[in-house]
Amino acid sequence: MAQMKDVTIPFDGKELTFLVPEANLAEVLSPAESAPMPDLDGEILKALANPIEQEPLDQWVKPTDRVLIISDDNTRFTPSDRILPPMLERLNKAGVPDSRISVIMALGTHRYMTEDELRDKVGEEVYGRVKVFNHEWMDEANLVNVGDSINGTPLWVNKAVAEAEVVIGIGAIVPHHIPGFSGSAKIIQPGICGPKTTAETHLLSCEGGGDSFLGVVDNPVRRDLDDMADRVGMKTIFNVVMNSEGGVVGMFYGSMRPAFLKGVELARKIYGVPYHEEPDIVITNSYPCDLDFWQSHKSQYPAQRIVKKGGVIIICTPAPEGVSPVHTDLLNFTSWPSKEILAAYRRGELKNGVATALAVAWAMVREKASVIMYSPGIPPEDKAKLGHSHADSVQDALAEAFKRVGDQARVTVLTHAPDMLPIKDF
């Protein structure tokens, strides 16, 4: 009887353990362990006092300026509630009253946050001091066109950013399959843009030749995003790099481009994970992007990067909100081949461009490796509409994967896949 190895992953707020034959187990990969900053509030104050290639806020913001602070939403762990109070104090020191400061949640095309979620994200003090509101992207009355980007993408943004003299972005830097890394200008696009703009940017990311731009710093999408941020006047960012538990290990505040590049250096160290062989099967876990498949799809791209062509990817995700509570129409076409999806969109047969773009990316994953999904939150019929096979457990999924690629197949496990950048080391 084969010797079995216990493998444990974080899943739905607890640990989930399954067995892999020891002879088949290639690697269990996780982000590098890193200790969070022991004095987060002190480090925030230090960062605000010493911006990267920029003067402190209170030395260049004018009392008459309208200030828009853009924060990532509740699908991210960025501690906006800790960053915002001392940032407001700096703005007040510059003479800007609270009445001229507002905070918008960069939802992209996520569902709108509830009042309780808004309050939790920014903290009780900030919620009571300044205007805090959602980017209501579904209402075109909230959007304004400010021209085309360098890539020719029509730039529809929330009108609040067009009305502000000072724009500051708050977010986190992690590897991301669309712009290479999240953070910086991504808070503008897709953060506070209209869905038509987001669709074109996402589709641009699918032109990378079958693989995503995951971990690629300079790429067409990042250049387009930076240009968009320039056009709406975002010169300043406060970005953090976090470990897998959501602890802040570094912060980068100041001028948009240099602050971002410094943050990427640390993000590579935290999330860059060497892998030492090309496995037949990859078990990829969605933690910490667990809310719905619209978030947990990020677990696919590190797996896509390392799996053998013709292999199997097993996606593990709780997804309590299903595939997406917003983009419900995508299940009508997600299982199609990538070229068919794109062609139907260009013919005008598909109207949801953002869903189209992600469906193309998901299809490109399936075109490299078949996908089996273990997810209590997504019913079997919806898995089928995603082009995935259903499994009642990780163990069942692994048994099916061995049937597909043989009992000698090599297996790699990605414990925190959305936060991982696989780096080839063989």
Side-chain angles (χ1 to χ4, degrees), residues 336 339-351 356:
W336 301 355
K339 289 182 179 178
E340 287 185 20
I341 298 169
L342 183 57
Y345 178 69
R346 293 305 186 199
R347 290 194 301 265
E349 296 167 10
L350 302 179
K351 305 300 182 184
T356 295

Side-chain angles (χ1 to χ4, degrees), residues 1-4 19:
M1 188 173 183
Q3 288 285 105
M4 305 298 281
L19 300 174

Side-chain angles (χ1 to χ4, degrees), residues 164-242:
E165 285 81 31
V166 175
V167 181
I168 303 168
I170 297 177
I173 300 174
V174 298
H176 196 284
H177 72 110
I178 293 175
F181 286 86
S182 68
S184 189
K186 192 175 181 294
I187 206 74
I188 300 295
Q189 165 47 30
I192 58 166
C193 284
K196 293 178 182 178
T197 302
T198 300
E200 291 304 317
T201 302
H202 282 44
L203 286 168
L204 179 61
S205 74
C206 296
E207 297 176 6
D211 195 2
S212 71
F213 289 132
L214 183 73
V216 180
V217 179
D218 182 26
N219 64 71
V221 177
R222 174 54 64 181
R223 292 193 290 272
D224 210 31
L225 266 55
D226 283 351
D227 180 69
M228 292 179 187
D230 289 340
R231 289 171 189 270
V232 301
M234 189 181 78
K235 300 176 180 177
T236 306
I237 61 170
F238 197 121
N239 281 182
V240 298
V241 174
M242 295 178 286

